[in-house]
Amino acid sequence: EPEVTQTPSHQVTQMGQEVILRCVPISNHLYFYWYRQILGQKVEFLVSFYNNEISEKSEIFDDQFSVERPDGSNFTLKIRSTKLEDSAMYFCASKTSWTPTNEQFFGPGTRLTVL
Amino acid sequence: AQSVSQHNHHVILSEAASLELGCNYSYGGTVNLFWYVQYPGQHLQLLLKYFSGDPLVKGIKGFEAEFIKSKFSFNLRKPSVQWSDTAEYFCAVNLPNRDDKIIFGKGTRLHILP
């Protein structure tokens, strides 16, 4: 069964460094998402992406964040200058098309640790 | 703002016990409702979903949930849990007439004693 994959599974970085988190959505999916979960808190929506542009973003998704679909298979989240509070689990999700249930398929997550 | 509340942060049960995890949401309009499960080291998986029709929804692995609109609730149930049900469970809501994002609760960590 096709799955969303994410790499790396764990990323450790120094504060102020740039990180790129990678996701490979399910191949025929058209809508892509990033969510994050700070330890002990709820999973929060960051951004949705469709047709090569951002559809919606949360207030968390400030100028330090960007997303890209560089090659038709990968979907990346870049944090330009990481802060301690960016430490979290980052989940990528995708879905095939607009459906009434809006079922999104999630990847295993990347744990980002900012030191 | 819309929110999802899960009443229990950590639940410990013995095998064969019955399970009910509470979930309430705060939105008066049309909602899609989900329960996701995350087994240790694995990705979020959809357990079940509700978007219309029968308010009693059956999902995978013997789980079910009941949508009670008057109570804004979508509680998850399983009559007899197994050790393999040890995982974190997330209730979530989507507002289909508003936007595309899924709003999650904080999760309930379920630990089943063998």
Side-chain angles (χ1 to χ4, degrees):
Chain A
E1 188 175 329
E3 290 185 337
V4 177
T5 59
Q6 291 185 243
T7 55
S9 56
H10 191 186
Q11 172 95 44
V12 181
T13 190
Q14 295 288 330
M15 191 170 56
Q17 295 296 303
E18 174 183 285
V19 294
I20 297 176
L21 309 183
R22 290 184 167 79
C23 168
V24 179
I26 295 172
S27 65
N28 63 341
H29 285 192
L30 302 175
Y31 295 77
F32 313 109
Y33 308 84
W34 283 102
Y35 293 80
R36 79 171 186 191
Q37 184 182 28
I38 295 171
L39 189 64
Q41 299 186 25
K42 61 179 68 178
V43 177
E44 301 171 290
F45 168 79
L46 290 178
V47 66
S48 59
F49 190 86
Y50 170 70
N51 201 25
N52 277 321
E53 59 184 33
I54 290 173
S55 312
E56 185 184 355
K57 59 183 181 179
S58 72
E59 56 192 31
I60 302 167
F61 194 89
D62 61 22
D63 292 344
Q64 293 299 314
F65 291 88
S66 61
V67 288
E68 196 177 35
R69 190 158 159 77
D71 57 15
S73 62
N74 289 284
F75 178 51
T76 62
L77 174 69
K78 183 194 290 187
I79 309 175
R80 274 190 203 87
S81 177
T82 49
K83 302 189 272 279
L84 295 176
E85 54 266 37
D86 293 327
S87 293
M89 182 74 93
Y90 288 80
F91 294 102
C92 173
S94 68
K95 71 175 187 183
T96 176
S97 63
W98 180 256
T99 65
T101 61
N102 195 35
E103 181 178 346
Q104 299 173 17
F105 294 82
F106 284 82
T110 293
R111 183 169 297 284
L112 175 65
T113 301
V114 182
L115 303 176
Chain B
Q2 297 77 37
S3 65
V4 177
S5 299
Q6 292 184 241
H7 311 308
N8 313 99
H9 298 302
H10 195 184
V11 173
I12 302 173
L13 294 172
S14 298
E15 273 194 311
S18 66
L19 170 72
E20 181 160 2
L21 301 182
C23 173
N24 287 91
Y25 63 93
S26 64
Y27 183 67
T30 302
V31 292
N32 294 329
L33 295 156
F34 309 88
W35 275 97
Y36 283 88
V37 61
Q38 187 174 30
Y39 298 102
Q42 297 188 28
H43 57 278
L44 284 163
Q45 295 178 46
L46 185 66
L47 263 184
L48 46 78
K49 63 191 179 211
Y50 169 84
F51 67 100
S52 69
D54 189 344
L56 185 61
V57 179
K58 294 196 184 299
I60 60 171
K61 305 183 189 230
F63 286 91
E64 64 179 33
E66 185 175 13
F67 170 49
I68 303 179
K69 191 173 181 180
S70 60
K71 294 184 178 180
F72 299 90
S73 70
F74 191 56
N75 291 356
L76 181 71
R77 300 193 292 248
K78 186 171 183 177
S80 176
V81 294
Q82 301 170 299
W83 178 78
S84 57
D85 293 325
T86 294
E88 189 151 19
Y89 292 80
F90 296 92
C91 182
V93 65
N94 162 249
L95 311 178
N97 298 329
R98 287 274 303 268
D99 50 42
D100 203 22
K101 62 180 180 283
I102 293 179
I103 303 163
F104 286 84
K106 287 184 78 170
T108 296
R109 193 173 295 277
L110 176 65
H111 187 72
I112 305 299
L113 302 173

